[in-house]
Amino acid sequence: MTIRQFKRARAAAVVMAAGLTLAACGGSGDDGAAGGEAVSGPVVIDGSSTVEPLSSAAAELFMSENPDTNVTVGTSGTGGGFKKFCAGETDISDASRPIKDSEKAECASKNIAFSELLVANDALSVVINKDNTWAECLTVEQLKKIWAPGSTVKNWNEVDPSFPNEPLQLFGAGSDSGTFDYFTEAINGKEGDSRTDYNPTEDDNVTVQGVSATKGALGYFGFSYLEANADKIKAVKVDGGNGCVAPSVQTAQDGTYKPLSRPLFIYVSDAGLKKPQVLKFAEFYLEKNTEIVEAAKFIPLTQAQVTTAQTELQALKTKAGA
């Protein structure tokens, strides 16, 4: 199966699950998106590959209720997505980290104003091959030893003498990815600091393929890709100073999965909000958020975050004059 076929198959499964969940919760496709009249026209999204499965699920469900709309979701990475967003090429930017000050300045220089919306949580997951029995828990210091700039570690026994003589092959996010930014800051202490002799990609399915095919492989990506590929790879528990903790919904929400728990965002441009279909999609994304997040195997918002999202939704409607 090709990467594209895999993504289509996964999207179909997520949409079916989300549709069943929405139906069970009383969702209806009769009233257009999130209540009100049906809309038409394009909604253009690009950005984080981590957030893509969630936005794709929301897009498919939205289009099923609004068949005259066309929501497209690209995956150029968080940084790449903001470049397009600040150039006015997209309506919405998926992001696995908050927008940087330099990106805000770039948007401002092009008169692109926007709203930030928190849509899910994530447990950035470090993953290994199914046959790896020795590295089921790694400390932050061990991860730094592997990933730090200039690291020459190429064998597992260089990480820990008790580990076997097994070549270490690394897979991870490309430099345009918000996952790369977050991981490097959390593990190496500075955003962007990383060894460069690894297999970088903006497509997390490439990391899945690499890690599942190589006994000594190590990689990292968002929690949803771990959940979707649990039959091919397995997660490493991370010791951030208080013992080994596995990535999960509970540990991400309660903050015990340190330091790799993070929020996920979408950014909606003010120009996009002037388009009825973009405004309705953003409303749909937040109003149906819990069902979509759970069906897509992401980590739901906490109750405090839900309250914030409700406030953000009202502010969005006010800004759009709805």
Side-chain angles (χ1 to χ4, degrees):
M1 179 181 288
T2 66
I3 291 173
R4 178 172 292 183
Q5 288 171 331
F6 170 82
K7 293 176 83 170
R8 285 178 176 173
R10 186 189 60 187
V14 167
V15 169
M16 182 178 292
L20 291 171
T21 303
L22 291 174
C25 294
S28 170
D30 298 331
D31 61 347
E37 297 180 359
V39 290
S40 62
V43 179
V44 183
I45 306 171
D46 207 318
S48 168
S49 62
T50 298
V51 184
E52 175 271 325
L54 186 65
S55 287
S56 289
E60 293 294 333
L61 288 165
F62 180 77
M63 287 188 289
S64 73
E65 297 190 5
N66 295 273
D68 293 329
T69 60
N70 180 30
V71 185
T72 57
V73 185
T75 54
S76 60
T78 297
F82 279 133
K83 290 175 185 176
K84 294 181 178 182
F85 185 70
C86 294
E89 298 175 11
T90 59
D91 301 304
I92 295 173
S93 205
D94 287 342
S96 59
R97 58 159 172 79
I99 190 169
K100 298 178 182 178
D101 288 342
S102 60
E103 292 163 337
K104 290 179 182 178
E106 178 64 19
C107 277
S109 73
K110 301 293 179 62
N111 295 315
I112 302 294
F114 56 82
S115 298
E116 176 190 271
L117 304 176
L118 177 63
V119 292
N121 292 301
D122 190 23
L124 201 160
S125 303
V126 179
V127 295
I128 52 177
N129 186 273
K130 283 281 191 177
D131 293 332
N132 184 328
T133 58
W134 60 88
E136 296 186 346
C137 177
L138 294 172
T139 67
V140 170
E141 284 305 310
Q142 287 174 321
L143 288 171
K144 183 176 182 179
K145 185 175 183 179
I146 294 169
W147 286 100
S151 173
T152 59
V153 173
K154 294 184 178 180
N155 194 294
W156 278 101
N157 61 17
E158 296 175 60
V159 179
D160 188 309
S162 68
F163 292 166
N165 179 20
E166 183 73 38
L168 175 66
Q169 187 169 349
L170 298 175
F171 297 83
S175 59
D176 267 344
S177 170
T179 297
F180 173 83
D181 293 337
Y182 191 92
F183 183 83
T184 52
E185 182 172 6
I187 298 302
N188 295 331
K190 183 179 179 181
E191 184 179 297
D193 272 7
S194 175
R195 67 187 298 170
T196 57
D197 57 337
Y198 71 101
N199 297 283
T201 180
E202 306 300 338
D203 188 336
D204 294 325
N205 294 300
V206 173
T207 297
V208 172
Q209 291 180 343
V211 173
S212 63
T214 309
K215 184 177 181 180
L218 178 80
Y220 64 88
F221 45 51
F223 183 73
S224 69
Y225 285 87
L226 169 63
E227 290 283 274
N229 296 282
D231 59 328
K232 301 182 184 72
I233 54 175
K234 61 183 179 181
V236 173
K237 295 178 182 178
V238 176
D239 185 349
N242 294 308
C244 300
V245 180
S248 70
V249 171
Q250 180 178 340
T251 60
Q253 287 187 328
D254 66 20
T256 57
Y257 183 64
K258 296 179 179 180
L260 295 177
S261 300
R262 59 176 176 169
L264 302 174
F265 306 91
I266 62 171
Y267 289 78
V268 188
S269 71
D270 285 9
L273 290 176
K274 293 179 181 179
K275 305 172 187 178
Q277 72 275 20
V278 177
L279 173 61
K280 285 294 185 181
F281 178 75
E283 291 176 1
F284 181 91
Y285 212 130
L286 291 182
E287 291 181 357
K288 304 295 186 181
N289 181 262
T290 299
E291 296 91 344
I292 294 169
V293 167
E294 290 179 350
K297 298 186 183 299
F298 278 69
I299 297 173
L301 302 176
T302 65
Q303 188 54 53
Q305 289 172 328
V306 169
T307 300
T308 298
Q310 291 170 343
T311 302
E312 290 172 343
L313 177 58
Q314 188 55 51
L316 199 72
K317 292 179 179 179
T318 301
K319 180 183 283 191

